[in-house]
């Protein structure tokens, strides 16, 4: 088999393991503001490839805890970086996957997350107040994983997401913004967690999502834009929540994702021939899992975490992936 | 790494690159360490402010340093500054971040910092009678409109820039009339029919204008919109942007006469472009809408036309054939 038809699991595992070993590289330090997110991306990709043990559990939990910002009561992306809701969700996701939630002061984190909700219902990323429906999703996902959704003002949260809905069925980052597949994922997944999918115009949105597929099999994030592997996950996740995965050509999409692998050093890029990174590696592997690629572990498209972890917490929603193929 | 080509380097070349980088890396780490420790000590000095400028110049994604920069302003610099000085500091921070924005047009943190600067521009200057004017705010807002237009000249689909544009418009001290924004979208669409971001903006601006100008003017303007979108559809029937906009213009509850007229018009385009997926797709959508507005007994002919189009669509657009089949099955045999 060539790299165009097969997922190069051992190479991707080696690539993810190597990411922590580049400490003499400028790029490694210039991306410190994404470190905790990157660990979540790498760990989740490993779990989906059934290689969770490839990274040391204790070391990982220790690093997560070293990112705690005690002044704010949340997690930064790196030790001594400020708390932000993006890093806080990654920390919680990592600790849930590693079954180590007992390490954190849950009431304090909940307080931090709830403090970010604005009068309009949207969430800010931190105390400086940038707002985005991404942050609403982070808050809903994190509170759900912590078992504290009951403390959220659901009506207010849903009202803001509703006000970001466009005529094409999609959602934007804020009121008035253009529909974007990434924002569609966060809004639909947040509504799924809150059991409020009645807010979605299923038929129109599934149509818009299906129209993201381009003749080369890849998916774009907005009309008349280029394909990119990360949209594979965002579009597929929303389609599987709407139970319409069959509305695109899954074989062509699988081939596109596989063609974006680096066949020499592992990892997946945004598109064929580009530099790989752990973000696209996760979203490529996650999409292949939803498409039933053989040998992969089931991914929960709502939380973007291993399905077994979400099921064990009793949080599974009614999404539908393609049946896993045996070969 | 979006859009960065993969290159193969020999081990030797890789080592040489890292060696060359060492000095840069050392400076970067020293500066980072210095600033993070000053931050811990709540050092709100001008010196720390300047060091933050330097670090953000090499890494504009370092959000903690953006936060620190704002905290230095709030806690250290603003309390000892006059309102004139605060206005001038914020104006120069906006200028400074313009070059960062040009180099990194998609970095959330830079856009976010500009919002913060704008929101903190004080009212002023005072008029001769001692009243506060909105002069400083107006001037800064106008400059932001200029900056965002240059950003949209460089990339007409940059959603950060469009979001920022809507943000500025919503908080303008003396906002330009919505008709001016409509003109801007016309200009963007006419230079590229494929710019869906501009069509989208139009779908947000027109309702504001219509609400103000009344039903009669709305009807006239709608007809002009149909002319504009028809022009785009005939120019490139394969481009999604105009088809999506056409769907917005028709809306979920159209007048049957208008709907029939548009169906006829698309049928004409289809006869010129017999393989056009978007003609067929739109015909199915609009015919289904028309069916819902038609008495049960008169629906069969339209249904069979939809089934015929859906079968053809499955052939010309095989990626989405399951969707077409599903809709066809729902129509019954």
């Amino acid at each position: 088999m060539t790299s165009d038809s097969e997922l190069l699991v051992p190479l991707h595992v080696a690539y993810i393991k190597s990411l922590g070993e580049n400490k003499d590289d400028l790029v490694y330090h210039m991306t410190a503001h994404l470190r905790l997110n990157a660990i979540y991306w790498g760990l989740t990709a490993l779990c989906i490839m059934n290689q969770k043990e490839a990274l040391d559990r204790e070391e990982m939990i220790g690093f997560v805890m070293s990112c705690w910002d005690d002044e704010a009561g949340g997690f930064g992306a790196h030790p001594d970086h400020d708390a932000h809701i993006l890093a806080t969700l990654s920390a919680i996701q990592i600790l849930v996957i590693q079954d180590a939630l007992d390490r954190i002061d849950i009431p304090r984190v909940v307080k931090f997350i709830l403090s970010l909700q604005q009068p309009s219902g949207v969430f800010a990323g931190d105390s400086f107040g940038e707002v985005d429906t991404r942050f609403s999703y982070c808050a809903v996902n994190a509170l759900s994983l912590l078992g504290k959704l009951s403390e959220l003002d659901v009506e207010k949260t849903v009202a803001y997401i509703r006000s970001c809905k466009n005529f094409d069925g999609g959602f934007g980052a804020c009121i008035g913004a253009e529909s974007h597949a990434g924002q569609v994922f966060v809004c639909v997944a947040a509504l799924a967690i809150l059991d409020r999918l009645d807010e979605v115009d299923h038929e129109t949105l599934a149509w818009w999502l299906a129209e993201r597929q381009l003749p080369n099999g890849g998916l774009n994030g907005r009309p008349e834009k280029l394909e990119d592997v990360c949209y594979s996950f965002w579009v597929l996740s929303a389609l599987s929540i709407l139970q319409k995965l069959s509305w695109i050509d899954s074989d062509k999409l699988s081939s596109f994702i596989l063609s974006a692998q680096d066949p020499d050093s592992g990892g997946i890029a945004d598109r064929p021939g580009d530099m790989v990174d752990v973000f696209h590696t996760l979203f490529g592997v996650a999409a292949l899992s939803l498409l039933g690629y053989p040998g992969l572990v089931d991914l929960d498209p709502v939380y973007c975490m291993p399905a077994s972890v979400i099921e064990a917490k009793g949080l599974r929603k009614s999404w539908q992936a393609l049946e896993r193929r045996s070969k | 790494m979006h859009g960065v080509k993969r290159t193969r380097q020999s081990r030797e070349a890789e080592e040489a690159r890292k060696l060359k980088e060492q000095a840069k890396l050392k400076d970067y780490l020293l500066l980072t360490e210095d600033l993070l420790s000053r931050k811990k000590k709540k050092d709100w000095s001008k010196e720390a402010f300047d060091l933050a400028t330097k670090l953000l110049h090499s890494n504009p994604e370092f959000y903690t340093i953006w936060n620190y920069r704002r905290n230095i302003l709030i806690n250290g610099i603003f309390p000892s500054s006059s309102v004139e000085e605060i206005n001038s500091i914020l104006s120069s921070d906006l200028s400074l971040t313009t070059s960062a924005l040009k180099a990194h047009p998609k970095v959330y943190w830079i856009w976010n910092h500009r919002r913060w600067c704008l929101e903190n521009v004080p009212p002023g200057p005072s008029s001769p009678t001692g009243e506060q004017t909105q002069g400083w705010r107006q001037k800064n807002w106008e400059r932001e409109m200029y900056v965002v237009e240059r950003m949209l000249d460089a990339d007409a689909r940059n959603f950060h820039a469009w979001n920022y544009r809507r943000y500025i418009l919503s908080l303008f001290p003396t906002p330009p009339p919505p008709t001016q924004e409509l003109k801007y979208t016309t200009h963007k669409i006419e230079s590229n029919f494929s710019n869906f971001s501009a069509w989208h903006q139009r779908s947000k601006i027109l309702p504001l204008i219509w609400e103000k100008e009344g039903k009669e003017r709305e009807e006239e303007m709608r007809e002009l919109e149909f002319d504009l979108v028809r022009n785009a559809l005939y120019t490139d029937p394969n481009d999604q942007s105009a088809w999506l906009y056409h769907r917005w213009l028709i809306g979920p509850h159209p007048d049957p006469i208008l709907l029939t007229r548009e169906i006829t018009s698309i049928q004409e385009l289809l006869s010129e472009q017999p393989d056009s997926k978007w003609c067929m797709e739109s015909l199915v959508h609009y015919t289904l809408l028309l069916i819902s507005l038609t008495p049960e007994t008169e629906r069969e002919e339209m249904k069979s036309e939809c089934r015929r189009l859906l079968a053809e669509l499955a052939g010309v657009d095989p990626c989405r054939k399951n969707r077409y089949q599903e809709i066809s099955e729902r129509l019954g045999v």
Side-chain angles (χ1 to χ4, degrees):
Chain A
M1 273 197 187
T2 68
S3 63
D4 281 2
S5 58
E6 195 186 352
L7 184 68
L8 305 167
V9 171
L11 272 180
H12 298 324
V13 172
Y15 164 70
I16 293 169
K17 282 182 75 170
S18 76
L19 289 171
E21 293 157 10
N22 296 324
K23 293 187 179 140
D24 58 343
D25 203 329
L26 185 60
V27 175
Y28 175 84
H29 296 281
M30 295 274 274
T31 52
H33 62 277
L34 287 173
R35 190 74 70 239
L36 215 45
N37 310 72
I39 293 172
Y40 154 72
W41 296 327
L43 173 64
T44 307
L46 288 173
C47 289
I48 300 311
M49 294 186 288
N50 209 5
Q51 300 279 334
K52 183 181 165 190
E53 318 307 326
L55 293 175
D56 186 83
R57 177 177 183 270
E58 281 311 312
E59 196 188 327
M60 189 182 295
I61 295 169
F63 182 81
V64 170
M65 294 318 295
S66 73
C67 295
W68 175 251
D69 174 354
D70 198 49
E71 209 178 309
F75 288 89
H78 189 273
D80 294 330
H81 290 209
D82 288 347
H84 194 283
I85 199 160
L86 289 168
T88 300
L89 174 61
S90 289
I92 292 168
Q93 287 175 310
I94 295 166
L95 295 175
V96 167
I97 293 173
Q98 298 287 18
D99 195 18
L101 259 192
D102 55 338
R103 312 278 177 111
I104 58 172
D105 181 347
I106 293 179
R108 269 207 84 188
V109 182
V110 170
K111 201 174 152 206
F112 168 71
I113 295 171
L114 292 175
S115 76
L116 298 173
Q117 188 163 34
Q118 307 297 301
S120 67
V122 70
F123 279 76
D126 65 16
S127 58
F128 275 106
E130 177 190 9
V131 300
D132 191 311
T133 46
R134 286 181 302 149
F135 305 147
S136 297
Y137 168 72
C138 290
V140 168
N141 185 340
L143 290 171
S144 165
L145 290 174
L146 296 172
K148 298 289 180 190
L149 262 188
S150 57
E151 297 188 29
L152 175 73
D153 186 337
V154 173
E155 248 348 285
K156 213 160 101 174
T157 310
V158 171
Y160 189 85
I161 296 175
R162 183 190 302 132
S163 66
C164 294
K165 186 158 82 177
N166 292 311
F167 75 90
D168 51 27
F171 296 84
C174 52
I175 295 173
E178 180 185 347
S179 298
H180 177 289
Q183 308 292 153
V184 168
F185 157 65
V186 293
C187 291
V188 170
L191 292 170
I193 293 172
L194 298 172
D195 295 319
R196 292 298 297 273
L197 284 175
D198 56 305
E199 294 288 344
V200 178
D201 179 348
H202 290 235
E203 189 78 14
T204 308
L205 180 55
W207 160 71
W208 185 87
L209 288 165
E211 292 297 344
R212 297 304 105 240
Q213 188 161 37
L214 296 169
N216 70 357
L219 306 177
N220 62 16
R222 290 184 284 158
E224 303 300 328
K225 295 277 289 176
L226 284 177
E227 70 285 354
D228 183 323
V229 163
C230 57
Y231 294 119
S232 307
F233 171 71
W234 293 326
V235 171
L236 285 192
S237 155
L239 279 174
S240 44
I241 294 168
L242 300 178
Q243 312 204 2
K244 294 285 185 222
L245 261 194
S246 63
W247 281 17
I248 57 155
D249 186 328
S250 56
D251 290 341
K252 281 184 89 171
L253 176 57
S254 296
S255 303
F256 169 74
I257 298 169
L258 293 170
S259 71
Q261 298 180 103
D262 179 342
D264 300 315
S265 313
I268 301 177
D270 59 347
R271 55 184 77 95
D274 282 357
M275 289 275 282
V276 303
D277 59 65
V278 66
F279 172 85
H280 288 94
T281 304
L282 166 64
F283 290 127
V285 170
L288 289 171
S289 171
L290 291 174
L291 294 174
Y293 191 89
L296 291 179
V297 168
D298 289 349
L299 173 100
D300 185 297
V302 176
Y303 293 86
C304 194
M305 288 165 66
S308 58
V309 172
I310 299 303
E311 271 161 40
K313 292 185 80 72
L315 295 174
R316 184 183 161 130
K317 301 295 171 183
S318 59
W319 48 271
Q320 203 171 17
L322 298 184
E323 203 176 318
R324 189 145 321 278
R325 300 189 300 278
S326 56
K327 60 173 185 171
Chain B
M1 299 267 179
H2 281 110
V4 183
K5 286 278 161 239
R6 190 159 71 226
T7 50
R8 289 274 154 255
Q9 279 189 324
S10 65
R11 188 176 287 271
E12 291 77 22
E14 180 72 6
E15 290 302 320
R17 181 186 64 85
K18 280 192 178 170
L19 202 66
K20 221 173 114 188
E21 244 177 43
Q22 284 309 303
K24 227 172 147 184
L25 174 59
K26 205 175 137 207
D27 288 348
Y28 181 81
L29 290 178
L30 278 173
L31 185 56
T32 301
E33 206 178 311
D34 182 18
L35 270 170
L36 290 177
S37 84
R38 283 170 184 265
K39 173 177 173 283
K40 261 190 204 162
K41 286 183 283 195
K42 303 198 186 305
D43 173 352
W44 310 133
S45 66
K46 176 75 170 61
E47 194 188 348
F49 184 79
D50 292 338
L51 288 172
T53 307
K54 196 175 160 201
L55 186 52
L56 288 169
H57 183 73
S58 62
N59 187 2
E61 302 217 43
F62 205 152
Y63 70 88
T64 302
I65 303 301
W66 284 114
N67 289 348
Y68 180 38
R69 181 182 191 79
R70 289 187 284 266
N71 277 324
I72 296 172
L73 289 172
I74 295 168
N75 300 302
I77 296 178
F78 288 171
S80 58
S81 308
S82 66
V83 280
E84 282 81 8
E85 283 165 340
I86 292 176
N87 176 49
S88 112
I89 291 164
L90 289 170
S91 298
S92 73
D93 234 37
L94 284 166
S95 305
L96 185 93
T97 49
T98 303
S99 56
L101 205 56
K102 281 181 188 152
H104 310 276
K106 293 184 179 174
V107 171
Y108 286 94
W109 315 107
I110 305 176
W111 291 103
N112 188 30
H113 184 68
R114 296 186 86 84
R115 284 185 174 89
W116 183 86
C117 289
L118 269 187
E119 282 164 20
N120 284 280
V121 172
S126 303
S127 70
T129 55
E131 282 165 53
Q132 293 296 342
T133 70
Q134 293 294 319
W136 291 335
R137 287 171 168 271
Q138 184 71 17
K139 204 169 158 223
N140 277 299
W141 254 260
E142 279 166 7
R143 187 182 50 182
E144 289 306 280
M145 273 308 263
Y146 176 82
V147 169
V148 87
E149 277 174 27
R150 298 295 77 76
M151 297 303 290
L152 288 172
D153 288 343
D155 174 4
R157 297 297 306 275
N158 183 342
F159 70 82
H160 298 272
W162 280 104
N163 287 349
Y164 191 66
R165 185 179 179 88
R166 280 181 284 269
Y167 162 83
I168 303 169
L169 285 170
S170 71
L171 295 175
F172 229 112
T174 315
T179 46
Q180 193 175 315
E181 184 61 6
L182 190 69
K183 265 190 209 145
Y184 181 72
T185 64
T186 311
H187 159 72
K188 290 310 255 186
I189 289 166
E190 283 175 349
S191 62
N192 182 7
F193 279 136
S194 188
N195 184 348
F196 181 71
S197 304
W199 290 107
H200 166 84
Q201 177 74 335
R202 232 174 151 75
S203 79
K204 298 290 173 185
I205 295 295
L206 279 168
L208 302 178
I209 299 175
W210 292 343
E211 204 183 332
K212 246 207 224 113
E213 304 212 352
K215 205 71 197 156
E216 205 175 311
R217 182 77 185 119
E218 176 180 338
E219 293 309 320
E220 286 169 24
M221 287 182 77
R222 261 185 203 280
E223 282 310 304
L224 293 174
E225 291 306 296
F226 275 112
D227 291 342
L228 177 71
V229 77
R230 203 169 296 126
N231 189 5
L233 296 178
Y234 272 80
T235 306
D236 183 1
N238 295 319
D239 193 292
Q240 297 188 6
S241 314
W243 287 109
L244 285 166
Y245 186 72
H246 188 267
R247 204 163 282 199
W248 173 74
L249 208 49
I250 294 275
H253 308 291
D255 168 50
I257 298 167
L258 174 87
L259 191 54
T260 310
R261 182 192 81 184
E262 288 305 303
I263 287 174
T264 310
S265 159
I266 299 169
Q267 279 164 340
E268 280 165 22
L269 181 55
L270 181 61
S271 64
E272 285 175 31
Q273 306 270 344
D275 292 330
S276 166
K277 170 231 161 130
W278 279 95
C279 281
M280 290 187 256
E281 213 280 332
S282 301
L283 280 175
V284 169
H285 176 77
Y286 293 135
T287 307
L288 289 173
L289 253 181
L290 193 58
I291 288 173
S292 71
L293 302 169
T294 307
E296 196 103 29
T297 49
E298 296 162 33
R299 290 177 176 178
E300 200 38 56
E301 200 181 325
M302 286 188 272
K303 281 189 181 179
S304 85
E305 174 63 3
C306 281
R307 280 192 291 265
R308 189 187 66 74
L309 285 166
L310 286 162
E312 206 169 326
L313 274 166
V316 299
D317 185 25
C319 280
R320 283 159 282 265
K321 66 174 192 301
N322 290 339
R323 174 170 177 259
Y324 303 130
Q325 276 161 9
E326 213 180 295
I327 298 173
S328 193
E329 279 160 25
R330 263 187 258 154
L331 278 171
V333 187

